Every structure is written in structure tokens, then in C-alpha cells.
Amino acid sequence: MVIGEKQGTASAVNHERRAQVQPVVSDRLDGLLAGLSPRMRVAASQSPVTLAMVLVVVATAVFSPETFNSKLFMAALLFHLAIAALCVATPWARIPAATFAVIPLMDCIAIGLTRQAGGPTLSVLSVMLVFPVIWLSAQVRPYMPVLAIAGTVLSIVVPAAVQGSSPAGGSMIRTLILPLVMSVIAVTAHVVANTIRRHRVRLVENEQDLARTLAESVRRQALLDAVLKAVGVGVWVVDTRGHTVLANRAMRTDPALGGVMGPAEGPGALMLADRCTPVPSGLLPAARAAAGDAFTDELYWAGPADRQRAYSVSSHGFPPAGGQEGGAVITFVDVTTLVSALAAKDDFVATVSHELRTPLTSILGYLELVLDEPGHEDIREELLVVRRNSEHLLSLVNDLIAVASERMDLSLEETDLARLLALEVDAALPKAAGNGLQLVLDVEQPLPARVDPERIGQVVRNLLSNAIKYSPSGGLITAGAVRTDAGLVCSVTDTGVGMTQEEQEQAFTKFFRSARSRETAIPGAGLGLPVSKTIVEGHGGSISLDSEPGVGTTATFILPLR
């Protein structure tokens, strides 16, 4: 299956896997620290001060060994050693988490003592205060920067108190500027740490959202793959250039459609409904879909002449989205069996109709002979009933033949359509009056037209008959005709039971009858409208219905001007 979206999903999955295999340094450090016990985390945080003091001791031993003669210096070194031991020995998991703050505070005092004992030579050790200050200030609790500033002050006050001197007796940098600088560092470190923490939380949330979205995308893709594999309908997705984006298994494995998705979907890939005329290249489904043309249930034939298959083809476009270009989804539904069944049904109807018409014609002929001969006056009324019903039956048979062949032989001649309509209305007046209906004629005089008067009269009779049958007593039926730019427009309007939208869509289907007509046992064979449609379209015209349940129906047919 060729799926652009699927390729995009696969790329996202690969990117996610690479990100998991190659984490950044900060992620590795976070993972390392998160796996440590509270005791080891405190020891790790203390390690910068401890390592720095080891370097100070080494440098002092090399460049100023006489400093080791100072008892205060040695005491300060022992204090540092005791702090390092305290970090390892204290069970931090059993005491409140904030208790660790005592370690950086002690570091500040120890650094101050070391700097004081070393004199001018080790005055640079004030820089080491950055380690405990940042350690405290980087914590989420808002009071930690205050403790960091307090530790800086203690690093000045405590050594002075131990030596019995005034804290202000030293240099101005150590007495005033150093606490101010460390205060700025403490506040800055706290703000930066909290900002980074918030950003990391958002990043984690975004990563979780992305993971959920990716999982949902993979799930949807798997569902789409399963659906496309399961359906027996050929599904073909093309882009705006007519190139294949997706084709399911039913589309790719159907031998009759083998040439449809070729690199050059040229003439001969599909045939029109007549099964022998190739579809022009510009009217092939992919070309039409790429041009933005939407169509539904169009019949095409595909495959070798001896094994042709019929397909109902539809196309529905989709707009661009998410940076992806638009395209169209084309479906191929194999309707060969249905088309063959319909053809067989029409052949059967036509054959039966022809077989019925021959004996009916003979019956009517002999009836005419009997009626013309004397001596049958006592049964004449019965013979007329037989003739009338035989003529009605012959009319139904002719209608069956007409709708089965979907064409009708017409004898065109110059006719006044207004007079034709008036004659049919006059003929229907007794039937309308018997049903308690008012029948009105509204027509321009005259309306010359070149039509088959018998067939157009049959159309008007069918429409008037339907209006009378489906209108309750007291209703109004209006028959009218007018000349317009579109042609000669004839209409029959009633105030009857009306039709639903679904019934209107099926009204011109052979043998269709509405639910109301079946429930009320209104007579009819469901052939009047199909036959009327065949006749009107045979004249190059069109016929339509406009109906509303409980309000009425208007049947309109338009004949072209000659």
C-alpha cells in the first residue's frame, strides 16, 4: 500500500526512536541523578566544593607550604573533611528534605575560615562561595536564596569572630561587595533555575502530548489499513496532479483494473457504458478528480472484451490540511452482477410483453368482428366491457415494452399543444367530477409544436390520472402550458397527498409505487411516470416533480422549441 501519511507517521516514529537512543547530555545527567539515593545526591552536590578544596591543598603544598603551620588553616581543612563525611554518613532519606541546607551553610563557614587562615595568599577562595550559593539558590523553595545570602554573611562574620577581630576590619570587597555580588548570583540562580524547571515541565508535557498524538496516529493508521484491506471496494486516492497516493488491496489486485492505475492512464483503460467506446484521457476518473470534479455512481467498463467488468465509479475531493496537499478519493464498486441482473430483467419484461401483445391484438380483432356482426345485441354491453379491459391491458403491455426498451418510436407532426392539452382536460373532467375534484385549464392560445400528439397526449393523460387518483374530494387540479425561453412548459398541479423527498427520487423508477398508494389500495402499475419520462426524453425534453407531503404535487415537463 502506498500511503504518504503512513510514510510521515513512520518518519515520526523513527525520529522518536532516535531521540530515545541518543538522549542529550542533560537527560543523561538527570537520569543518573534520579537513580541516586538521597545520600548520594547530597554527596554529589557537595563534590565541587570537596574537589576544589583538594586542589587548594595541593596548590598550597606546592607554592606555600608554610601555610600548613597555621592551626586555623588545619582546623578549616578538618572542618571541610568533616562536612564531606557528614554528607555520606547522614541518613538523608529519614529526615526532612530541606535539612540538607545545613551542608552548604557549613561550606560557606568553612570556606570563610580557610580564606581567613590563608591570609592574602588564599583570599581568592571567596570565589568558591559560588558553589554553595548556587546549590541553595537553585532549589524550588523561595527561602533558599535568603539562606544563600546568609551563608555569604556567615563566611565573613564567623572567621572574624573566631579570630576576635571586627568583620569590617578586612578589605571592603570581603566585607561589603562580596555579599552583594553573591546576593545577585543567588537571586539570578534561583530565577534561572525555576525558569528552566518550568520549561522542562512544559517540554515533558509536550513530549507526553506528542507521544499520545503519535500513538493515536499509529492507531488510526492501523485502523485505516485494516478497513482498506477488509472492504471489497476498490479505493484509489490521487493528488492534485492525478498521481497515486493510496490504493488498497482490492484496487491493486483486481485484474480488470490493472491498467487504470498505470503511469499513463490513457485511452482504453476504461470504456463508456456502451462497452466499446474508450473514455477520453481528459475524462478518465483520475484526470477529472485532479481537476476538482466530483461525481457519483458513473458506470464504466474495464478489462478484456471477453471478460469485461462493470464498475460504479465515484470521486470525492478533500482539501489540503496540515501542510499536505489536497486530492480526491475515487471508489470502484464492481456492479457487473447487478447490471447483468437488470439487463436480464428488462429482457424478460420485453419478451413477456411481446408475447402478451400478440394474443391481445388477436382478441381485440375478433371482438371487433363480433361487435360488427348482428345477433349479439343481448350481450353487447358485456362485449364492450371485454374490449375496454383488453384495450387497457394492451396499453399496459405497450407501456412495459416502452420502459423495457427505454426508447419509443415517435411520429412527429405540427401540433397545437394548447388544443391537445384542452382535449385531454375535457376527457378527464367526468372522472375528476366523479371524485369531487375541480379541474381547471390554464393555457396560452395557441402553442404550436412539432411533437408526436398521441404520445404527448399519453403523457398528459398519465399526469392527470395521477393527480385525480391522489387528490382527496374537494381538491383542485390545474393543468397549464406556456412558452418560455427554455421551451414549451406543461404542468399539472394538484392539492393531493404529496410525496416525500425519497419518494420523488424513486418516482420515475419502473414499478415504483408510494407507501400511501399501497396502503390505500389506489390502483396502478407504477408505469405512468417512467413511460412519460421515456416519451418526453424521446422528444429531447425533461420531466420533473415538485411535491410536499400533505400539500400537493406539481408535475412539469418541458419540450424544446422546434
Side-chain angles (χ1 to χ4, degrees), residues 61-81:
V62 174
F63 300 105
S64 183
E66 64 277 5
T67 305
F68 289 100
N69 297 327
S70 170
K71 294 181 179 180
L72 182 59
F73 183 76
M74 296 302 296
L77 293 182
L78 291 175
F79 192 16
H80 279 292
L81 184 61

Side-chain angles (χ1 to χ4, degrees), residues 404-415:
S405 63
E406 296 187 351
R407 67 180 185 83
M408 192 167 291
D409 294 329
L410 301 175
S411 298
L412 302 182
E413 58 184 75
E414 295 297 329
T415 306

Side-chain angles (χ1 to χ4, degrees), residues 298-443:
E298 296 199 0
L299 183 64
Y300 293 94
W301 289 84
D306 57 338
R307 297 190 304 276
Q308 276 189 330
R309 308 291 296 177
Y311 293 90
S312 175
V313 183
S314 302
S315 173
H316 301 279
F318 56 87
Q324 300 291 327
E325 65 176 341
V329 179
I330 307 173
T331 56
F332 288 76
V333 182
D334 191 334
V335 293
T336 308
T337 303
L338 176 60
V339 170
S340 300
L342 291 175
K345 184 199 72 172
D346 290 341
D347 289 343
F348 173 77
V349 171
T351 300
V352 171
S353 300
H354 280 289
E355 292 298 325
L356 287 174
R357 186 164 60 175
T358 300
L360 279 173
T361 304
S362 178
I363 291 172
L364 285 171
Y366 281 109
L367 276 173
E368 291 297 331
L369 291 176
V370 172
L371 287 169
D372 290 340
E373 291 184 1
H376 301 95
E377 289 76 8
D378 55 335
I379 60 170
R380 183 174 181 80
E381 291 299 324
E382 289 80 0
L383 292 175
L384 290 175
V385 171
V386 173
R387 185 176 69 175
R388 185 168 60 251
N389 287 318
S390 297
E391 289 174 345
H392 176 66
L393 184 56
L394 182 60
S395 176
L396 287 177
V397 170
N398 289 332
D399 289 346
L400 282 172
I401 295 173
V403 297
S405 63
E406 296 187 351
R407 67 180 185 83
M408 192 167 291
D409 294 329
L410 301 175
S411 298
L412 302 182
E413 58 184 75
E414 295 297 329
T415 306
D416 184 356
L417 189 61
R419 183 174 179 277
L420 178 62
L421 188 61
L423 290 175
E424 296 298 338
V425 168
D426 288 341
L429 276 174
K431 179 66 173 177
N435 287 9
L437 300 171
Q438 183 182 3
L439 181 54
V440 177
L441 176 64
D442 179 16
V443 63

Side-chain angles (χ1 to χ4, degrees), residues 266-319:
L270 291 174
M271 299 290 177
L272 293 176
D274 62 4
R275 306 181 65 171
C276 59
T277 304
V279 180
S281 58
L283 297 180
L284 288 167
R288 294 176 60 186
D293 184 13
F295 50 91
T296 304
D297 296 332
E298 296 199 0
L299 183 64
Y300 293 94
W301 289 84
D306 57 338
R307 297 190 304 276
Q308 276 189 330
R309 308 291 296 177
Y311 293 90
S312 175
V313 183
S314 302
S315 173
H316 301 279
F318 56 87

